[in-house]
Amino acid sequence: MTSTFLADAPTPANHARPGAEPAAAQRWSVQAVQDLLERPFMELLWQAQAVHRAHWPAGDIELATLLSVKTGGCPENCGYCPQSSHFDTGVPAQKLMEVDEVRAAAQAAKSAGATRFCMGAAWRAPKDRDIEKMSELIRTVKDLGLQTCATLGMLQAHQAQALRDAGLDYYNHNLDTAPEYYGDVVSTRSYQDRLDTLRHVRAAGVKVCCGGIIGMGEAPVHRAGLIAQLANLAPYPESVPINSLVPVPGTPLAGSAAVDPLDFVRVIAVARITMPRARVRLSAGREQLGEAVQALCFLAGANSIFYGDRLLVTGNPDVTADQRLLARLGLRGTPAR
Ligand code: SF4
């Protein structure tokens, strides 16, 4: 598909052709991403939808269910997170769940139509004995025929390999925001720590799930900086979760100003344009966005959602509401393979 405005749209230094693999040489400057974010809204959506149609079947939405398998008591101080032990949020700490409990939750998710099951544990960095227990959970979920994903904090190279050996398909580790704004959100680890774990995950042959959060008080240039960081990973992540901050009382970011919903849609569109083959996941904050804005996000190229009435510890639309919304929009869950 070509058009006059598409020819005028900002492009990376080495623009990907439809059908091309994500390429290490595909570089996006922060300015080029910011130029995209500032495009007239309708043109941006048109461009994003054109990129989406060139790389993905229309109407296909991946349904991923997220379960907190070890909750609270985390020594990190991520300013958005109710699971940090630095903040008084009333989230009770819970130890790692038993295999049978996780199997039952994964089976229920599969029965409801999910194809990917993500397990989150509030660790700064798991110990090797934690990796052994997680490996058992991964094998259990994998045996049900679900894709597996885990988010466990910082990993060492041998730990990433052990998770891969257990059958882990994806590892989630978000960059959260631009490097320049990262210190305003968390101070107990560095941006480079995040990049190091992502490197270990890639080296182990596990697919990368990596995105960020919009609405933490960041400036537009920081949103552009986040997307540029993600798009310039070589290769860029297979899954890109874009979250709208869910302000939780007790966290430092509880008083953050709400994001303009159309600005959130813009970020989704730019993620789609800059990472054509990634699953762009409309993640936390869908309840606040409402159904009309979610529909715009799907038009902008989002093709994955978290599915189930809880995220790690915050709310999410329930399964019935999501099934109804997808049906009203003529969308369908990605069939299990
Ligand atoms: S986001 Fe993760 S690492 Fe940060 S405080 Fe929460 S559980 Fe810990």
Side-chain angles (χ1 to χ4, degrees):
M1 176 177 179
T2 57
S3 75
T4 305
F5 84 77
L6 283 177
D8 295 333
T11 57
N14 182 5
H15 186 58
R17 296 178 311 282
E21 288 301 318
Q26 185 184 358
R27 303 294 301 178
W28 284 91
S29 68
V30 174
Q31 185 60 57
V33 175
Q34 198 161 1
D35 289 348
L36 277 175
L37 283 170
E38 291 171 0
R39 296 206 80 200
F41 187 77
M42 296 305 176
E43 294 191 7
L44 179 62
L45 253 62
W46 188 10
Q47 183 182 356
Q49 180 63 200
V51 170
H52 186 72
R53 292 290 179 108
H55 293 86
W56 291 95
D60 163 281
I61 303 291
E62 178 196 58
L63 305 177
T65 293
L66 178 59
L67 176 68
S68 180
V69 296
K70 183 269 171 194
T71 304
C74 181
E76 301 276 31
N77 69 351
C78 309
Y80 50 83
C81 182
Q83 299 198 68
S84 168
S85 59
H86 295 254
F87 320 132
D88 184 10
T89 61
V91 171
Q94 288 174 354
K95 64 181 178 54
L96 190 63
M97 290 172 71
E98 299 295 333
V99 173
D100 288 348
E101 294 175 277
V102 173
R103 183 188 294 109
Q107 183 59 63
K110 184 178 181 186
S111 300
T115 53
R116 191 184 300 185
F117 193 73
C118 311
M119 292 171 275
W123 286 310
R124 178 171 199 272
K127 298 181 173 62
D128 285 353
R129 67 170 180 269
D130 299 322
I131 295 290
E132 280 175 33
K133 291 178 188 162
M134 283 306 307
S135 294
E136 191 177 357
L137 296 183
I138 290 162
R139 282 190 288 270
T140 300
V141 172
K142 190 89 175 164
D143 284 349
L144 296 175
L146 286 158
Q147 292 179 355
T148 54
C149 179
T151 182
L152 314 174
M154 290 185 281
L155 293 184
Q156 300 173 52
H158 72 279
Q159 295 177 322
Q161 190 60 56
L163 294 172
R164 172 66 187 152
D165 292 346
L168 186 68
D169 295 302
Y170 292 82
Y171 193 77
N172 166 265
H173 204 60
N174 290 335
L175 289 177
D176 293 344
T177 188
E180 297 76 18
Y181 193 62
Y182 198 68
D184 288 61
V185 175
V186 51
S187 63
T188 50
R189 59 164 185 262
S190 70
Y191 214 76
Q192 189 57 50
D193 290 333
R194 302 304 271 182
L195 295 171
D196 288 347
T197 289
L198 291 172
R199 187 164 44 81
H200 295 324
V201 169
R202 273 277 174 234
V206 177
K207 297 191 186 84
V208 168
C209 172
C210 181
I213 306 173
I214 306 304
M216 300 193 293
E218 73 283 349
V221 69
H222 299 135
R223 293 176 188 170
L226 167 67
I227 297 295
Q229 280 285 328
L230 295 168
N232 290 335
L233 290 172
Y236 55 74
E238 283 82 1
S239 290
V240 178
I242 303 291
N243 299 274
S244 174
L245 177 73
V246 178
V248 178
T251 60
L253 293 175
S256 300
V259 184
D260 178 333
L262 298 188
D263 285 347
F264 184 80
V265 176
R266 286 177 181 277
V267 176
I268 295 279
V270 173
R272 166 54 62 225
I273 292 165
T274 56
M275 294 171 274
R277 287 181 173 275
R279 280 276 179 195
V280 176
R281 182 172 306 124
L282 181 52
S283 301
R286 287 199 294 125
E287 280 187 310
Q288 301 119 275
L289 290 174
E291 295 192 335
V293 176
Q294 289 182 62
L296 283 176
C297 290
F298 295 134
L299 188 63
N303 62 347
S304 177
I305 57 172
F306 275 131
Y307 183 63
D309 60 4
R310 299 292 293 165
L311 292 182
L312 287 173
V313 292
T314 56
N316 198 45
D318 67 31
V319 163
T320 310
D322 276 338
Q323 288 175 343
R324 205 168 45 228
L325 177 62
L326 295 181
R328 283 164 64 207
L329 298 175
L331 303 173
R332 63 186 175 281
T334 306
R337 285 172 299 171

